[in-house]
Amino acid sequence: MTEPVEQDNMCIDWDVGIAMDDGVVVRADVFRPLTPGKYPVLLTYGPYAKGLAFQKGYPSAWQNMIAGHPDVAFGSTNKYQNWEVVDPEKWVPHGYVCVRVDSRGTGRSPGYVDHFSPRETRDFYQCIEWAGVQPWSNGNVGLNGVSYYGINQWHVASLQPPHLKAMCIWEGAADWYRDMTHHGGIVSTFWANWYDMQVKTVQYGLGERGPRSPVTGALVCGDETFSDEELARNRSSFGDEILAHPLDDDYHRARSADWSKVTVPFLSAANWGGQGLHPRGNFEGFVRAASKQKWLECHGLEHWTHFYTDYGRELQRRFFDFFLKGEANGWGDQPRVQLQVRHVGKFVERHETDWPLPSTRWTKFYLEPRHQTLSLEPPSEEADISFAADGDGLTFLSPPLSEATEITGPLAANLRISSSTEDADIFAVFRFFTADLREITFLGAIDPHTPVAQGWLRASHRKLDEKLSKPYRPYHSHDEVQPLVPGKPVDLAIELWPTSIVVPKGFRIALSVRGKDYQWQATTGAKLSNFKNELLGCGPFLHDDPRDRPRKIFTGTTTLHIDRSGTCNILLPVMPPR
């Protein structure tokens, strides 16, 4: 470790060593106020390399963000910007110490890479406790960060570190199985691709083969340079490990939050457009965590943007000033739920008291077979409608709505299906059209053409956890496979992740039932530097691993069985007119 340096109105300790209980020393950068004293700490622990500049590692995301939101770059040299963590230049002057830790095996921290594992969570715990007793710390440690830096907050909070006093989970998933690796039992290929693009590229041991910090000139990925074989030995085979655990077993539970033990005050910030990774855990955490002091916020735009805008940063600061500094700033009277309700072309802020919203009018729209419409009345006739599982499926469209209608909350689709094979994957997509049938999509957390809401279910995973299921949020146990008998109908309750949209008068809503991922159009040209695939509507959150979806089983014929009792429907959270 070098001596502290004073620059840009901060005192900076580069590459501080923090010893873990097994002898591994992880490395942190510490940004402190110039005036000696004891300050609250904001800490992050994650794999994206503390020395890699946001602008260098994620250039397309950075340029898009500052072009649309100049307040992000204003008031900072931006030299210390890192992917998905706070800008210390905007926090240190307000009396905070910012600590960035490279997680084990990444950046400048040696060791074996094993994401979200119990070992990594113990490391995180020990970093919190280390920060809580440093001479510049007032003993109050807060956690703040986006995505990975939010996900692992839920995990470490389950261990209840004594110095952890508050956390802001900005778009952080929580359930390793349901939120992240297996949507409805279907493998998401996101994590294997993410590992290649965002972790292997900054693994400890790349040394001279990796980048250098633009601020210090130090090698971002450690001073040792390993061979490809040595690097491979020092990391888990992440995608293969996920594939090897198709049910919600001990592997997944060890990487998920224990809600009964999450008692620390928190602010959970979700993104309506984060279908495929980010919103579900934020809502589940708010509802299910044992914390008595908890708040929920939900916004739109790309999933990193509002973390850095004045809107997001000032909200975070009010929260942390209250819990880490004890400031009487009115946060104690902050309504428990703050929503940026989504309209066409804008968001409107509103406060609520709980989630799901207490004023919700749970409304069923029934699938009507003759004209493939959505109706408030059960169908007057029965029909079996088949579709090729590898095609575009079926879309049921409402008539133009007679009045503007707000839909905000969780959704559920109830379907009766059969398959020509022993299984079927169902992709349920809630969509939104103009009166003349032009689809309206939205700028999502990742993808610029995101539908209103999505849900997934593998038919053989249809078993429900009766204790945790709600009519509006089916909860599947994922603890056994129940194969289909070809041609024999079964009932499916499909969770669609929470959403918000105010549908203008005369517009239409729709439910698409498919056997593969939603696709807005065949090509868009939209790409981001940190993802492999073209963005066609689902971002990088795809379900196309042939090892998980062998063609023999998942390219058969699926049949939707519609009866007069209204078995096939979608339950929507409709708000009363305001």
Side-chain angles (χ1 to χ4, degrees):
M1 185 183 79
T2 59
E3 290 297 314
V5 297
E6 294 186 3
Q7 59 191 51
D8 298 312
N9 297 311
M10 298 181 291
C11 182
I12 307 173
D13 301 286
W14 298 113
D15 232 26
V16 178
I18 308 174
M20 300 294 99
D21 57 6
D22 64 351
V24 169
V25 176
V26 298
R27 296 287 172 178
D29 292 339
V30 180
F31 303 84
R32 298 183 279 123
L34 290 175
T35 304
K38 292 182 178 293
Y39 299 95
V41 179
L42 292 180
L43 186 143
T44 51
Y45 175 97
Y48 296 135
K50 60 187 176 60
L52 181 66
F54 193 138
Q55 301 91 319
K56 170 117 177 129
Y58 302 86
S60 52
W62 174 258
Q63 289 300 328
N64 290 343
M65 180 168 62
I66 62 170
H69 305 274
D71 54 316
V72 171
F74 182 76
S76 173
T77 68
N78 297 296
K79 291 192 303 189
Y80 309 96
Q81 293 280 12
N82 268 191
W83 179 242
E84 298 184 338
V85 299
V86 302
D87 177 2
E89 289 187 86
K90 292 191 175 183
W91 285 87
V92 171
H94 294 286
Y96 284 90
V97 174
C98 298
V99 178
R100 294 175 176 169
V101 187
D102 280 341
S103 58
R104 181 182 294 241
T106 65
R108 292 188 62 82
S109 294
Y112 185 82
V113 182
D114 190 6
H115 297 295
F116 307 118
S117 66
R119 174 68 261 178
E120 192 175 82
T121 303
R122 289 198 301 274
D123 290 350
F124 196 3
Y125 177 106
Q126 291 171 37
C127 290
I128 292 167
E129 291 307 292
W130 172 87
V133 298
Q134 295 307 300
W136 33 256
S137 171
N138 72 354
N140 295 333
V141 178
L143 307 178
N144 195 15
V146 188
S147 191
Y148 196 107
Y149 300 101
I151 294 168
N152 63 8
Q153 290 182 45
W154 294 121
H155 302 162
V156 78
S158 300
L159 300 183
Q160 300 181 344
H163 286 96
L164 176 59
K165 301 300 171 61
M167 58 185 192
C168 175
I169 308 98
W170 203 271
E171 303 188 34
D175 185 318
W176 183 232
Y177 190 91
R178 293 163 185 81
D179 296 357
M180 295 183 262
T181 64
H182 291 74
H183 297 139
I186 310 167
V187 166
S188 170
T189 56
F190 167 75
W191 290 101
N193 293 328
W194 164 86
Y195 201 40
D196 289 343
M197 299 294 286
Q198 292 182 236
V199 177
K200 293 179 183 178
T201 52
V202 290
Q203 185 180 351
Y204 178 87
L206 281 172
E208 294 285 354
R209 301 159 64 190
R212 287 185 178 271
S213 164
V215 180
T216 67
L219 290 166
V220 167
C221 301
D223 296 328
E224 299 179 278
T225 302
F226 296 158
S227 67
D228 289 344
E229 292 76 15
E230 289 173 303
L231 290 169
R233 284 197 296 271
N234 281 338
R235 62 178 184 249
S236 64
S237 182
F238 203 45
D240 291 339
E241 286 187 4
I242 290 168
L243 197 69
H245 294 272
L247 297 177
D248 186 18
D249 59 13
D250 289 343
Y251 167 82
H252 294 283
R253 286 189 287 272
R255 290 159 173 78
S256 298
D258 180 344
W259 298 123
S260 69
K261 295 180 180 177
V262 177
T263 57
V264 65
F266 67 78
L267 169 62
S268 177
N271 188 317
W272 302 122
Q275 304 291 322
L277 183 57
H278 287 300
R280 185 182 185 276
N282 287 103
F283 291 105
E284 287 287 303
F286 176 76
V287 171
R288 297 176 62 192
S291 302
K292 301 301 183 185
Q293 296 172 295
K294 53 185 177 180
W295 287 263
L296 173 69
E297 187 273 351
C298 196
H299 53 269
L301 306 182
E302 306 94 343
H303 96 92
W304 50 84
T305 296
H306 266 317
F307 181 76
Y308 294 97
T309 62
D310 288 348
Y311 164 78
R313 182 173 49 81
E314 289 167 5
L315 185 72
Q316 296 158 34
R317 209 176 100 205
R318 283 182 56 226
F319 170 76
F320 283 120
D321 282 352
F322 183 80
F323 283 106
L324 302 186
K325 292 184 175 182
E327 290 189 4
N329 61 7
W331 183 268
D333 298 321
Q334 169 81 6
R336 290 305 173 100
V337 177
Q338 178 169 310
L339 305 179
Q340 299 295 329
V341 177
R342 184 164 56 181
H343 296 244
V344 178
K346 66 178 181 180
F347 295 89
V348 176
E349 186 170 303
R350 189 172 78 232
H351 292 100
E352 297 278 356
T353 59
D354 206 354
W355 183 269
L357 306 185
S359 60
T360 302
R361 295 177 177 174
W362 298 105
T363 305
K364 284 184 178 180
F365 280 78
Y366 297 94
L367 278 57
E368 190 281 316
R370 175 176 288 186
H371 304 293
Q372 286 186 213
T373 57
L374 291 179
S375 172
L376 289 169
E377 300 296 330
S380 58
E381 58 187 64
E382 300 186 348
D384 296 340
I385 311 175
S386 299
F387 62 92
D390 57 352
D392 290 330
L394 306 171
T395 296
F396 294 81
L397 193 70
S398 77
L401 299 187
S402 60
E403 59 182 359
T405 303
E406 180 187 335
I407 298 165
T408 298
L411 300 75
N414 300 289
L415 304 174
R416 179 168 290 164
I417 69 109
S418 65
S419 173
S420 61
T421 73
E422 61 266 37
D423 214 340
D425 285 346
I426 299 296
F427 296 72
V429 188
F430 184 62
R431 304 166 72 184
F432 171 36
F433 292 83
T434 62
D436 58 356
L437 301 183
R438 289 178 293 110
E439 184 173 13
I440 306 294
T441 57
F442 297 89
L443 176 63
I446 302 295
D447 200 294
H449 301 289
T450 300
V452 181
Q454 297 186 72
W456 310 262
L457 185 61
R458 177 157 289 172
S460 61
H461 285 238
R462 63 191 177 275
K463 178 184 173 184
L464 291 170
D465 182 321
E466 299 295 344
K467 183 184 293 187
L468 292 174
S469 284
K470 306 287 186 185
Y472 54 80
R473 200 274 276 121
Y475 193 96
H476 298 89
S477 58
H478 298 295
D479 59 1
E480 66 173 310
V481 174
Q482 299 178 333
L484 299 182
V485 176
K488 183 177 180 179
V490 296
D491 290 326
L492 308 181
I494 303 171
E495 174 189 9
L496 280 75
W497 288 9
T499 194
S500 176
I501 182 62
V502 176
V503 183
K505 178 181 177 180
F507 283 50
R508 305 168 185 257
I509 57 174
L511 175 68
S512 290
V513 181
R514 302 163 56 89
K516 64 178 183 178
D517 283 308
Y518 167 86
Q519 187 171 303
W520 180 63
Q521 61 183 37
T523 184
T524 64
K527 295 205 77 172
L528 286 171
S529 57
N530 51 311
F531 298 120
K532 293 180 180 180
N533 62 294
E534 186 178 7
L535 304 178
L536 302 178
C538 292
F541 309 113
L542 302 176
H543 308 82
D544 55 3
D545 190 325
R547 297 171 297 173
D548 179 62
R549 304 188 72 223
R551 290 187 57 81
K552 180 181 178 183
I553 296 175
F554 294 102
T555 58
T557 299
T558 304
T559 301
L560 197 57
H561 300 273
I562 300 175
D563 59 30
R564 293 187 183 91
S565 66
T567 302
C568 294
N569 62 73
I570 182 167
L571 182 66
L572 299 182
V574 176
M575 295 297 106
R578 294 178 183 266

